[in-house]
Every structure is written in structure tokens, then in C-alpha cells.
């Protein structure tokens, strides 16, 4: 032993001596011998393993095993170290002088430092990008906050008045919210300054509120003063201060006498002439009795109506209903006098009420209660939407024949149920938001806000503009909207102001039906053709001219759909089948029932004979059962997360939109989505009979379709915009059941992803590379077949659908995996073990991260 442990002993010899000492229990001697061996060769693995075996504790043992593991990559020390991973290493005293680890090769130091510097620069760059994004976001917020608002005054009765409940304020606020949501007016948000006039119409209150408005130097224009008396009193205040005012509903002719006041409706003179034309050409009345109050509205309307109707009929007499605001006793006396005068005149004819709202309801109820059944026609000042609620109740016991609202007609700007195009979409959104259709006053208020926004946009006035200069610019912008080309696109189409600064809007006649104000069965609508083309039609009484406009009698057909079921959606053929009841209520010509469906799949299909018919007075009712197939315009960009719209579009086969208008039955429009989606045959079941689809919504809306050219029609003059037809559409929104689709169709793709990942877990032996590449190529080919089979259910769409991007993402991932496998094999063949480890680690971590990013992208885009 002493010979082997001499000065010339080698590390193996010293280790053998230490092993024999350890076997005899001489552990201290063994440690000294092993220390001498390691001093000679600190990388001698067996010496470190024996030193670990005779170590005093686990801390020394771990230190020795770590040195052994460093000396031999395949050392058994790796296995034992796993058991000691929670123990902190400590060197035995005998080898404390060897505790410092050997320095790594220079190239390793350079590579590690380079990677460290690279990581630092990457972190610095990422931090810089985040800081820049944060700074830009803060700057954007600051700039948005500093964008000076544009102020508009709103004068209305926020807690009272006859317009309470008609949501005129909500219509304005909702429109401005939408404008601000799209960036405001040239980047400036529009802010309302609310001035409450408590719904008052007296001159003193109107002037006091107007003075407060014009004193606010922030305000560039005002919207409000909804009543004629209020607008007449306030107009001089706005004119003197140079503040433009848009009144939505004040119709008095003199309200816009000054250059600073505009209105978003017609004036009293026009509506009076329109009433005269409607009485003669739609209701066929030849005599009329005018009842008026002493308001500006009443005097203007009565005078203009008398002059207009005298040309086509006879005004029997004019009766005074007294003052608008008077005590109950005086009002009852005037009402009784009017009723007695009408009853005493068998030839009184139609009764024309040139009155504001307050006396109208008592007078109408008294007339009906005393048996007066003459048609009653009123102007917009009667506040028809409010009047509808008052007249919806039953009469007292003196009357046994129907509702007081029967045969009562009121003129108003175009009603919500007869809007088309953009107006119909707005009315539908309004109804969904507030639970009721917009009143004519709400439509006028929204139109006033629309005109105000366009004037602010065109004027160039913005936040910080000097008050006088900005107000003048806004006024000039409003005045410049004096032709269709220079006007704006509103709810009615192109809107513009006439020389009297009244907005050119269509007039409609409404009736009262079940407590609602709806379009009358017959209307007078503008027919845009040259005046000279109407000789024969004018002689036949089919058209009439009012203030230079050519009007034609139009049938308004109340239309309803009650679906029994929708089924058989064929995505490849772009068709579906529908079974439903269709009903039409109308007055006049039976040509209103000459309808077909614009998107019926069978061009030869014709509406069958009605299953039920009835006639009450002039009102006709027809009920049909329709079962046929319809085409659908399907969009597969989001497939299989797509929503589709299945429409049934009804239109007249021969009559254009100017002659027949199909509008929704108000009882149907008042139903909830749950009620609309119940089957007409079995109310306990849904209309949905589609496989793998959910029916989400049924929307009923009107559209105007046709050609922008006259199509060779010799009767079409330069003023005709083309041949247009009205459509009434029931449109289902259906959503694909994506969960069932994903489980059925994308599970194989998920399995291919898992198989592809396993190719990254193979041994580092380069001999496995061909097998790994073969697996990946097979997976790619399988995915190609799977994609083809999945998209075979769709027609040729010419674009990539949503699920297609998932396959493309997988193809990219699989190709990258092939590249990783080939690169790994090359590195191992050239002995680049460290590079192989880095590449393998990057691939094994990057693969799931990539998959997670793709999945997250789909969730963010289609997670709705």
C-alpha cells in the first residue's frame, strides 16, 4: 500500500488504495487518498464517485456527484443527483482547494456572453417597443381629451309637456352618441347643453330660455322649441343674437321668417294643401267643415286649407273651438257648441281640425259619443302619437259603436312604419333599443340632429372657434343645403331646405289602430316624373300637384309573416325551405295581392289561393299559406363560426313603390323575439328545423329595390330616378353550431398536431431522422385530404374560410418541424451536441406556444 501511495502514484492507483481503505472502514484515510488523486487529476470521475461514497453528509456527497457528472456526461452520478436536488452542495475539507470550478473554453465563454448580450438587447428592444406603445396611447388619450368639444343646445321639456313619452330627446342623443362614436365632427366630440323649458308653449318662457341659450358663448347652434307658439316667440331672440335654430316640429309659417331659423318638417301651409288633396283624391270628400283654435298653428292651417280645398270642393263653414288653454268649463262649452253645429248640418262633410293637441281629444270623444261618424282629419299639431293613447280607451255608455279613433286621420311627416332603406334600419334599431317604434316627432328630432351635424361638418367651425364667426358659418352651411345635390342623406333619402328654410320631407297620413298611430291604407306620395307626362293620369284623378310636387295615390298594405318552420338549408346549393302564413290588409285595388318573392328558387311559383278572406268596410284581409324554397346569399368567410341571413323578400309583381307600399303589421312588430320565433302551427315549438344551426333572430324590414335607369320606359322623364319596387322582408339570422362541428371535424386535425409534436421527442440518434420525416409528411398529406373533405360541403367561394386558415397554420407548423428534424440530424452527425440541445429545446417550447397563439387568435376573432 505504501508502495502504491508513493510519490509517483497515479490517480487510478490512489483511487484503488482509497477503495480498499473504505472497505475496511478507514473512511478518513480513504478521503485523504482520494484528495491526492483529485489533486493530480481533478477530472477523474471514479475518484469523485468514491469520495461521494465516503462523504460525511449529503451536502458533501452532492458536491462530489456534481463534479463526477461534469467529468462524465453518461455518469451514474446523474441518477443519484436527482435524489439530492433539494440539498445545497458543500465541498469536503480535503478537497476545499478544488472547490473552484475549472474555467470553460474561451469559445464557450464568448458564445455564452454573446447569447447573454443578445438576450439583453432583445429585452431592451421589447421594453422600448412597450414604452413607445404606452407613450403613443397616452398621447392619443391626451389629444382626445384636449379635442375641444362642439356644443349644441337642446331646448325641450325633459320632464313634461305633450311630447313626453315620444322620446324626441332620446332620438337626438342616440344620434349624437353614434356620431361621437365615429370620431365626432372633424375629430371634435359633439356635446349637448340641455335647457329644460318644461314643455311650456307660452311666449315668456320661450324667450327666457332662448336668452339663456344665446348667452352661452360655447353654443354654435340650437335644436328645439318643438311647438309653434314657442318657436315664434323665441325666433327673434336667436335672430338678434345670430344663433342658428333648428326646430324639429314647429309648423307655423312665420316661425322661419328670419334667416336664422330652420325647421326639420313642413309648414302649416303645405300640410293644409296636402290635407285638401288627400280629402279630395284619397277619401273622395267634396265638402268639409273646418274647426280651429286661436293658436298660430290653428289660424295658419285653417286659412291655407280653406284656400286650397275651395279649388276642388266646398268648405261648408268654419267653427271656433276657443282658446287652446282655457278652463274645463270654457272648453266643455266650446266643444258642445261645435258638436251641436256639426250634428245640425247633414252635409258637414269631413271635419278638419286645425287645432293644437289639448282640445282635440275631448272634441273627438264628444263627436263620437254623440253619434257623429264623419271622417275627422287633423294636422301634425294634434300630436298624433300622444293622441293615440288618449283615444284608445272605450267610449262611455252613451255609445255602443266602436272606438272614438275610428275614421280619424292625421297628417305627419313620414311615419316610422313606412320608412325604407336606411330609415327602416334606424327605426328597427330604435324599436330594439326603446321597445317601441319611433313617433313622427322622434323622427323629426333625429332629422334635425342629422342636419345640425352636417352643418357643423361643412361649416369648418369647431371647438375654440369664435362664437360669432362659428355661428355664422353654421347658419351659412344650413342655408347652402338648398338642393338635393347639396343636401344630405337622411332617414327619408336626400333632404334639403326649401326657400322658406323648411326641410323637404314627405307628408304621410296616419290612423289610429289599437292605441298606435300607423300609416293609413291610402297615401299621397311624391312621384318623381316630369309634370308634362301626367295629362291622362291627372284627368283620371290619379295624380295631383301640391306646391310643385306631383303626388300619386299609394296603397299601404299591412303585411304579416307567421312562420311555421324553416328547414333544409343547403349550403352548397344556397337554398332553404320555409313554411309560413302570409297576410295582407289593404284598401283599394286588389292589385296589392299580385305579389311574388324576389328570392324564390322556383321562378314559376305563384301565391296560392287565400285560405281566409274578409272585408270590413273598405278594409280587405287575405291570408295565405306559403310552402316553397328560397335562395339565400350565404357568406362563408367565417365558416364554421359563420352566421347566415335567410330572407323571404315579398314584392309586388307589377306596381312600383310609388303605387304600393308593404309595411309591417304593428301587432307583429310589437312582439318579442321569443314570440316571433314560435311556430305558427304549434306555439309550443320553435320555427327552427335546421340541422346544426341555431335561429337567433327574426328581423322584419322594408327595402326599396330596382334600377337606377328608366329601362326604356317612354313615360319616364328626366326627373324619374328609375323603376323601383318596394320589398317587405322577413330575415332570419342563424348561427352554425360550431361546438358540434369542431368536435366532429377538427378532432382528427388535433390528433395530427399531437403526432407531429411527438417527432420532436425522438432520440438524438440521426438514424431516426427518416422515420420522423416520414411521419410528418404522412401527417401533412392526411391534413390535405381532411381539408378537402371538410370544404367539400361548401360551394366554390373563391376565398379562404376561417377553418382553412387553421389548416394553413398546421401546414406551416409541420413544414417547420420537418426542417427542425433535418437540422437536428445534421448537427448530431457533425458532433454539435450543444447546438442540437438548443434547437430541440426551442422547437419543443415553440411548438405549443405557436399552437396556443393560433387557438387564442381564433378565440379573439370568433369567440362571440
Amino acid at each position: 500500500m505504501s508502495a502504491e501511495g508513493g510519490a509517483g502514484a497515479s490517480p487510478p492507483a490512489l483511487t484503488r488504495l482509497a477503495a480498499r481503505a473504505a472497505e475496511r472502514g478507514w473512511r478518513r484515510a480513504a478521503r485523504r487518498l482520494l484528495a491526492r488523486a483529485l489533486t493530480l487529476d481533478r477530472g477523474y470521475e471514479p475518484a469523485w464517485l468514491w469520495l461521494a461514497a465516503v462523504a460525511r453528509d449529503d451536502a458533501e456527497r452532492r458536491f462530489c456527484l456534481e463534479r463526477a457528472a461534469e467529468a462524465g456526461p453518461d455518469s451514474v452520478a446523474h441518477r443519484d443527483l436527482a435524489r439530492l436536488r433539494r440539498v445545497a452542495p458543500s465541498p469536503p475539507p480535503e478537497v476545499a482547494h478544488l472547490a473552484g470550478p475549472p474555467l470553460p473554453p474561451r469559445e464557450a465563454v464568448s458564445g455564452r456572453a454573446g447569447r447573454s448580450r443578445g438576450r439583453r438587447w432583445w429585452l431592451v428592444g421589447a421594453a422600448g417597443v412597450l414604452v413607445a406603445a404606452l407613450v403613443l396611447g397616452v398621447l392619443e388619450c391626451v389629444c382626445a381629451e384636449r379635442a375641444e368639444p362642439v356644443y349644441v343646445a337642446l331646448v325641450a321639456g325633459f320632464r313634461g309637456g305633450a311630447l313626453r313619452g315620444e322620446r324626441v330627446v332620446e332620438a337626438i342623443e342616440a344620434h349624437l352618441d353614434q356620431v361621437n362614436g365615429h370620431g365626432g365632427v372633424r375629430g371634435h366630440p359633439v356635446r349637448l347643453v340641455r335647457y329644460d323649458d318644461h314643455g311650456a308653449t307660452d311666449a315668456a318662457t320661450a324667450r327666457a330660455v332662448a336668452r339663456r341659450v344665446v348667452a352661452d358663448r360655447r353654443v354654435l347652434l340650437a335644436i328645439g322649441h318643438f311647438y309653434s307658439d314657442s318657436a315664434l316667440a323665441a325666433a327673434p331672440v336667436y335672430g338678434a343674437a345670430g344663433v342658428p335654430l333648428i326646430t324639429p316640429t314647429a309648423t307655423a309659417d312665420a316661425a322661419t321668417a328670419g334667416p336664422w331659423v330652420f325647421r326639420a318638417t313642413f309648414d302649416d301651409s303645405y300640410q293644409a294643401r296636402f290635407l285638401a288633396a288627400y280629402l279630395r283624391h284619397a277619401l273622395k270628400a267634396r265638402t268639409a267643415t273646418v274647426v280651429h283654435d286661436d293658436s298660430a298653428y290653428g289660424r295658419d292651417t285653417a286659412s291655407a286649407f280653406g284656400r286650397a280645398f275651395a279649388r276642388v270642393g266646398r268648405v261648408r263653414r268654419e267653427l271656433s273651438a276657443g282658446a287652446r288653454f282655457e278652463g274645463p268649463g270654457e272648453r266643455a262649452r266650446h266643444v258642445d257648441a261645435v258638436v251641436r253645429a256639426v250634428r245640425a248640418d247633414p252635409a258637414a262633410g269631413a271635419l278638419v281640425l286645425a287645432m293644437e293637441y289639448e282640445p282635440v281629444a275631448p272634441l273627438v270623444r264628444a263627436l263620437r259619443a254623440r253619434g257623429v261618424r264623419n271622417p275627422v282629419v287633423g294636422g301634425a299639431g294634434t300630436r298624433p302619437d300622444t293622441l293615440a293613447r288618449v283615444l284608445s280607451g272605450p267610449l262611455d255608455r252613451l255609445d255602443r259603436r266602436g272606438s272614438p279613433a275610428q275614421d280619424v286621420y292625421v297628417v305627419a311627416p313620414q311615419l316610422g312604419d313606412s320608412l325604407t332603406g336606411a330609415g327602416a334600419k334606424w327605426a328597427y334599431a330604435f324599436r330594439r333599443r326603446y321597445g317601441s317604434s319611433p313617433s313622427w316627432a322622434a323622427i323629426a328630432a333625429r332629422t334635425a340632429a342629422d342636419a345640425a351635424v352636417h352643418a357643423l361638418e361643412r361649416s369648418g367651425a369647431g371647438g375654440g372657434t369664435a362664437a360669432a364667426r362659428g355661428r355664422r358659418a353654421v347658419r351659412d352651411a344650413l342655408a347652402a343645403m338648398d338642393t338635393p345635390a347639396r343636401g344630405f342623406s337622411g332617414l327619408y333619402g336626400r333632404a334639403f331646405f326649401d326657400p322658406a328654410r323648411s326641410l323637404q320631407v314627405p307628408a304621410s297620413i296616419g290612423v289610429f289602430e289599437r292605441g298606435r298611430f300607423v300609416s293609413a291604407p291610402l297615401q299621397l306620395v311624391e312621384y318623381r316624373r316630369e309634370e308634362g307626362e301626367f295629362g291622362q293620369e291627372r284627368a283620371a284623378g290619379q295624380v295631383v300637384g301640391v306646391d310643385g310636387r306631383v303626388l300619386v295615390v299609394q296603397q299601404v298594405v299591412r303585411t304579416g309573416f307567421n312562420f311555421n318552420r324553416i328547414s333544409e338549408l343547403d349550403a352548397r346549393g344556397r337554398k332553404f325551405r320555409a313554411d309560413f302564413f302570409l297576410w295582407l290588409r289593404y284598401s283599394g285595388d286588389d292589385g296589392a295581392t299580385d305579389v311574388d318573392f324576389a328570392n324564390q328558387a322556383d321562378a314559376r311559383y305563384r301565391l296560392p289561393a287565400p285560405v281566409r278572406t274578409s272585408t270590413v268596410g273598405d278594409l280587405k284581409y287575405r291570408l295565405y299559406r306559403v310552402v316553397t324554397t328560397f335562395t339565400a346569399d350565404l357568406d362563408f368567410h367565417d365558416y364554421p363560426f359563420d352566421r347566415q341571413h335567410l330572407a323571404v323578400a315579398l314584392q309586388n309583381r307589377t306596381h312600383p313603390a310609388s303605387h304600393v307600399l308593404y309595411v309591417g303589421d304593428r301587432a307583429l312588430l310589437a312582439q318579442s323575439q321569443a314570440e316571433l320565433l314560435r311556430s305558427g302551427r304549434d306555439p309550443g315549438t320553435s320555427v327552427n328545423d335546421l340541422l346544426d344551426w341555431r335561429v337567433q333572430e327574426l328581423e322584419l324590414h322594408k327595402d326599396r329595390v330596382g334600377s337606377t335607369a328608366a329601362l326604356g320606359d317612354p313615360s319616364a322623364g328626366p326627373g324619374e330616378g328609375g323603376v323601383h319596387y318596394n320589398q317587405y322582408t322577413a330575415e332570419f339570422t342563424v348561427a352554425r353550431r360550431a361546438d358540434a362541428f369542431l368536435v366532429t371535424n377538427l378532432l382528427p386535425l388535433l390528433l395530427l398536431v399531437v403526432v407531429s409534436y411527438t417527432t420532436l421527442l425522438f432520440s438524438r440518434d440521426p438514424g431516426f431522422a427518416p422515420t420522423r420525416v416520414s411521419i410528418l409528411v404522412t401527417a401533412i398529406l392526411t391534413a390535405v385530404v381532411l381539408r378537402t373533405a371538410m370544404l367539400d360541403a361548401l360551394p366554390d367561394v373563391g376565398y379562404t374560410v376561417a377553418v382553412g386558415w387553421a389548416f394553413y397554420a398546421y401546414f406551416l407548423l409541420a413544414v417547420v418541424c420537418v426542417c427542425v428534424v433535418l437540422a437536428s440530424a445534421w448537427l448530431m452527425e457533425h458532433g454539435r451536441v450543444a447546438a442540437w440541445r438548443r434547437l430541440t429545446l426551442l422547437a419543443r417550447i415553440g411548438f405549443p406556444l405557436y399552437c396556443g397563439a393560433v387557438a387564442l387568435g381564433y378565440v379573439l376573432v370568433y369567440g362571440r
Side-chain angles (χ1 to χ4, degrees), residues 327-557:
E330 281 295 305
R331 177 173 295 172
R333 186 176 65 80
H334 281 106
V335 166
D336 183 64
V338 170
V339 172
R340 282 189 285 105
V342 173
R343 291 190 68 194
D345 185 1
L351 303 181
V352 179
L353 304 185
M355 308 164 62
E356 294 276 13
Y357 161 73
E358 284 79 4
V360 172
L363 176 58
V364 172
R365 294 183 69 86
L367 287 168
R368 296 300 187 242
R370 301 283 290 274
V372 178
R373 295 295 163 188
N374 302 46
V376 176
V377 183
T382 59
R383 302 296 171 204
D385 290 281
T386 304
L387 188 63
R389 296 188 289 271
V390 177
L391 295 183
S392 61
L395 291 171
D396 57 31
R397 64 180 182 275
L398 298 177
D399 183 80
R400 296 290 185 271
R401 296 180 296 175
S403 164
Q406 186 175 346
D407 294 327
V408 178
Y409 304 84
V410 177
V411 65
Q414 191 165 9
L415 303 181
D417 62 357
S418 59
L419 290 170
T420 60
K425 293 178 180 178
W426 174 82
Y428 176 74
F430 187 97
R431 186 167 61 249
R432 293 195 63 180
R433 180 169 181 174
Y434 297 112
S436 61
S437 294
S439 66
W440 81 267
I443 296 173
R446 199 275 193 185
T447 301
D450 209 358
V453 169
H454 281 85
L456 289 169
E457 187 77 38
R458 298 178 187 183
S459 69
T465 305
R469 189 171 73 250
R471 292 168 174 178
R472 166 64 68 176
V474 173
R475 185 264 164 207
D476 292 344
L478 287 168
M481 301 177 190
D482 56 357
T483 64
R486 299 169 67 178
F488 61 92
S489 296
L491 299 180
Y492 312 112
R494 296 300 295 179
F496 61 97
F497 292 100
D498 64 17
R501 289 174 298 284
S502 297
L503 206 64
Q504 289 273 11
V505 297
S508 298
I509 294 291
V511 296
F512 301 97
E513 182 179 291
R514 299 178 183 178
R516 298 184 181 92
F517 184 54
V518 300
S519 295
L522 295 177
Q523 298 287 336
L524 285 180
V525 298
E526 188 167 1
Y527 199 37
R528 298 183 182 275
R529 289 190 179 182
E530 289 298 304
E531 194 70 34
E533 301 291 340
F534 285 107
Q536 295 181 352
E537 292 174 306
R538 183 186 293 278
Q542 296 174 335
V543 300
V544 60
V546 177
D547 285 5
R549 304 187 198 182
V550 178
L551 305 180
V552 63
V553 177
Q554 179 193 62
Q555 287 180 281
V556 176
V557 183

Side-chain angles (χ1 to χ4, degrees), residues 149 466 573 763 837:
S763 168
R837 286 176 177 168

Side-chain angles (χ1 to χ4, degrees), residues 46-62:
W48 284 115
L49 291 174
W50 273 105
L51 187 57
V54 297
R56 297 177 180 84
D57 52 37
D58 285 344
E60 293 183 358
R61 188 169 295 110
R62 175 169 178 175

Side-chain angles (χ1 to χ4, degrees), residues 287-291 315-319 342 345 347-352:
T287 59
T289 297
V290 179
V291 183
V315 176
R316 293 280 296 177
R317 61 193 302 185
E318 290 188 8
L319 301 173
V342 173
D345 185 1
L351 303 181
V352 179

